[in-house]
Amino acid sequence: MQQDQGKLSVGERLEAVRGEIARAAERAGRSRDSVRLLPVSKTVPASGILAAREAGCRRFGENKVQEALGKAGELDGHGIDWILIGHLQTNKVKDVVTFAAEVQSLDRLKLARELEKRLQRAGRSLDVLVQLNTSGETSKFGLAPEQAVPFFRELRAFDCLRVKGLMTLAIFSSDPDRVRACFRGLREAADRLAGAGLLDPATRALSMGMSGDYPIAIEEGSTEVRIGQALFGPRPLPDSHYWPE
Ligand SMILES: *Cc1c(COP(=O)(O)O)cnc(C)c1O
């Protein structure tokens, strides 16, 4: 699908993805407004990001702190919110609090502590999602789903972290049932959190679904799909950017 899109503009691809999101939402009996699109701009130069900005996008997902920090400087004044979606090392947190609007890859207490410390110093708060490993693959980051409830309990101690929901990456598989099971696992974890009074089911964020699997994610309750290649074209080495550093 993406191979044929080389000559399309970012605006045209955006229209196609928005249409696909609307169709998936309709299949699931959901309103199209209940699914937000997060363009993932890793490896995309400032010009491509600006094209999407002009087409109405204002949040952009990046997975590497240094790359995101550089773009945030370059595109300062364009009203962009930078969302970090990649694995985050604690030694990068001091940079993160200078520019990020949200971190979707919170996956351990040590990182929460470091974020809290730096956010307090900076006098600001941060939206965060907790990343769960719903596929069980050792190559993926995130807490095991059954650790979500105790982890959310611990997070209540951190005043600067506004915990909005959950994020996951599904297994890379040509079997849609295996992919679907990952997304369903995230939604069920969110339901358990709601049952424990730790996450409001009406406003929770479920960040799940990428270029190759977002219609399935929407059918399973995604509230935010993270789309890179379907908007910006194929990356030179796609897989090298899922797990930075
Ligand atoms: C790169 C990336 C995406 C987007 O992947 P595409 O296949 O380009 O849509 C989504 N989520 C994370 C965490 C990523 O690193």
Side-chain angles (χ1 to χ4, degrees):
M1 156 190 144
Q2 283 141 28
Q3 285 84 334
D4 302 324
Q5 297 189 332
K7 291 189 182 67
L8 296 180
S9 70
V10 171
E12 286 166 328
R13 289 197 186 107
L14 199 53
E15 272 321 297
V17 170
R18 283 179 178 146
E20 195 63 49
I21 289 172
R23 280 189 292 279
E26 192 178 339
R27 277 199 303 278
R30 306 177 53 197
S31 86
R32 65 186 297 167
D33 299 338
S34 65
V35 187
R36 171 147 92 158
L37 168 63
L38 178 64
V40 174
S41 51
K42 60 189 183 195
T43 77
V44 176
S47 56
I49 298 174
L50 277 179
R53 178 74 190 91
E54 273 152 29
C57 303
R58 69 172 285 127
R59 290 159 55 86
F60 289 87
E62 291 278 342
N63 71 337
K64 292 186 176 182
V65 174
Q66 281 331 107
E67 182 180 341
L69 190 58
K71 288 175 181 173
E74 202 178 338
L75 292 169
D76 192 24
H78 287 278
I80 291 174
D81 284 345
W82 299 98
I83 315 300
L84 284 171
I85 59 175
H87 181 65
L88 190 52
Q89 296 175 326
T90 38
N91 64 11
K92 302 275 170 63
V93 165
K94 61 179 185 311
D95 291 330
V96 169
V97 302
T98 66
F99 76 99
E102 179 174 304
V103 167
Q104 297 199 346
S105 46
L106 178 58
D107 61 356
R108 58 201 191 278
L109 214 47
K110 189 178 171 213
L111 181 57
R113 279 196 203 101
E114 186 64 17
L115 282 166
E116 176 72 17
K117 184 178 92 185
R118 298 282 178 182
L119 288 163
Q120 278 193 7
R121 270 185 213 171
R124 59 164 295 199
S125 52
L126 181 74
D127 289 349
V128 295
L129 304 186
V130 172
Q131 182 173 358
L132 300 188
N133 181 346
T134 52
S135 69
E137 294 167 289
T138 52
S139 58
K140 287 200 170 64
F141 291 101
L143 292 162
E146 57 275 15
Q147 292 178 295
V149 165
F151 188 66
F152 267 62
R153 287 215 172 92
E154 304 249 36
L155 289 183
R156 287 191 293 198
F158 301 103
D159 292 334
C160 299
L161 300 181
R162 291 191 301 255
V163 188
K164 302 287 188 181
L166 298 171
M167 183 271 256
T168 200
L169 286 99
I171 192 169
F172 295 105
S173 168
S174 54
D175 178 354
D177 291 340
R178 297 183 70 193
V179 173
R180 187 179 296 278
C182 296
F183 296 141
R184 191 167 291 167
L186 198 75
R187 174 166 41 85
E188 289 169 351
D191 291 344
R192 288 194 297 275
L193 287 163
L198 294 164
L199 187 62
D200 182 350
T203 58
R204 70 185 185 194
L206 292 182
S207 173
M208 57 186 194
M210 313 193 306
S211 293
D213 56 21
Y214 67 95
I216 301 175
I218 291 168
E219 289 167 13
E220 293 300 327
S222 173
T223 67
E224 180 161 63
V225 291
R226 308 180 305 268
I227 310 288
Q229 302 191 72
L231 290 179
F232 297 111
R235 284 182 297 275
L237 287 166
D239 289 349
S240 69
H241 285 281
Y242 287 107
W243 303 292
E245 259 89 71

